[in-house]
């Protein structure tokens, strides 16, 4: 019987690695604090986290950001806690996998940005068209992504999951508690 890998625990730090469809590494977040893991999801927090781009450039996140990943949805959500409110950056991406090295997913270029006032914008549609042709995403992935955009918009409009004020309050408070002990 195969041995199950132990999930990272609350307060542990993990790396997050984003890949492109062709298998090339796209971006790495070095230290994300894990707030909760379950069989199907992971919630974490980045705060002044070192990010490395595929061209070697480095930058550091400016504000605390809660991250939400799920194994059944083709998107992940970054909730950036800014002075003027919460802004969301939602990546259309494969469900994640977690191994000893990092949490990993494939970034499918399309993004939805939700501004603190609730307005939304679809980003990088041109990038999606370019890469879908270059790497032959095919009709199956296109269908999956379009279906998941509809699910994501429903979550945004109905303040489900990471889009609810309660989610943000609970998990940011947990981050602050765990930060005091690290």
């Amino acid at each position: 019987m195969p041995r199950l890998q132990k999930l990272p625990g609350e307060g542990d730090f993990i790396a997050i690695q984003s890949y492109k469809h062709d298998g090339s590494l796209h971006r790495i977040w070095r230290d994300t604090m894990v707030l909760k893991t379950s069989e199907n999801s992971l919630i974490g927090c980045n705060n002044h986290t070192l990010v490395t781009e595929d061209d070697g450039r480095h930058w550091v996140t400016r504000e605390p950001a809660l991250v939400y990943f799920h194994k059944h949805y083709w998107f992940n959500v970054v909730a950036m806690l800014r002075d003027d409110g919460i802004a969301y950056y939602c990546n259309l991406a494969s469900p994640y996998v977690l191994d000893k090295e990092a949490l990993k997913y494939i970034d499918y270029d399309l993004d939805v940005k939700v501004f603190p006032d609730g307005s939304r914008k679809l980003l990088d549609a041109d990038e999606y068209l370019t890469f879908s042709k270059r790497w032959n995403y095919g009709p199956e992935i296109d269908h999956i992504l379009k279906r998941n955009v509809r699910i994501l918009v429903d979550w945004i409009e109905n303040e489900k999951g990471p889009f609810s004020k309660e989610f943000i309050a609970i998990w940011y408070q947990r981050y602050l508690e765990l930060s005091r002990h690290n």
Side-chain angles (χ1 to χ4, degrees):
M1 177 183 284
R3 213 171 105 201
L4 294 174
Q5 181 182 325
K6 182 178 169 279
L7 294 173
E10 184 177 86
D12 289 346
F13 287 89
I14 62 167
I16 297 173
Q17 296 177 351
S18 166
Y19 291 83
K20 288 298 186 181
H21 186 77
D22 70 346
S24 61
L25 188 60
H26 175 55
R27 188 172 288 136
I28 302 169
W29 290 260
R30 195 178 73 188
D31 293 310
T32 297
M33 181 190 281
V34 173
L35 303 177
K36 181 180 186 224
T37 53
S38 70
E39 185 180 324
N40 293 315
S41 65
L42 184 138
I43 300 167
C45 188
N46 291 323
N47 194 0
H48 296 92
T49 299
L50 178 65
V51 180
T52 304
E53 300 288 342
D54 59 0
D55 63 4
R57 285 181 302 121
H58 300 285
W59 54 278
V60 176
T61 60
R62 290 190 308 245
E63 65 269 312
L66 296 172
V67 295
Y68 175 85
F69 295 88
H70 200 284
K71 287 189 177 175
H72 296 301
Y73 297 110
W74 284 62
F75 57 81
N76 57 64
V77 179
V78 180
M80 298 165 286
L81 287 64
R82 297 185 169 157
D83 292 338
D84 62 341
I86 300 161
Y88 293 90
Y89 200 89
C90 312
N91 298 292
L92 273 294
S94 69
Y96 75 95
V97 295
L98 187 62
D99 64 20
K100 290 178 185 171
E101 188 181 24
L103 180 149
K104 300 173 180 178
Y105 65 90
I106 298 170
D107 181 309
Y108 280 104
D109 320 307
L110 285 173
D111 304 300
V112 176
K113 177 128 188 217
V114 183
F115 297 90
D117 67 3
S119 62
R120 315 185 281 268
K121 186 174 183 181
L122 181 67
L123 304 173
D124 301 330
D126 53 341
E127 201 176 298
Y128 175 76
L129 290 172
T130 299
F131 289 133
S132 66
K133 287 182 183 125
R134 180 183 302 166
W135 294 322
N136 192 25
Y137 292 173
E140 185 180 358
I141 287 179
D142 191 61
H143 175 75
I144 289 168
L145 294 174
K146 285 177 179 168
R147 186 175 72 239
N148 277 268
V149 166
R150 288 191 297 273
I151 294 167
L152 180 59
V153 168
D154 177 66
W155 283 28
I156 294 165
E157 289 176 348
N158 293 293
E159 298 183 358
K160 292 181 182 177
F163 300 99
S164 79
K165 290 174 181 58
E166 296 79 14
F167 178 99
I168 299 298
I170 288 166
W171 293 111
Y172 186 59
Q173 183 58 42
R174 188 65 189 130
Y175 165 73
L176 293 174
E177 291 166 4
L178 290 169
S179 295
R180 283 186 219 124
H181 299 103
N182 276 337

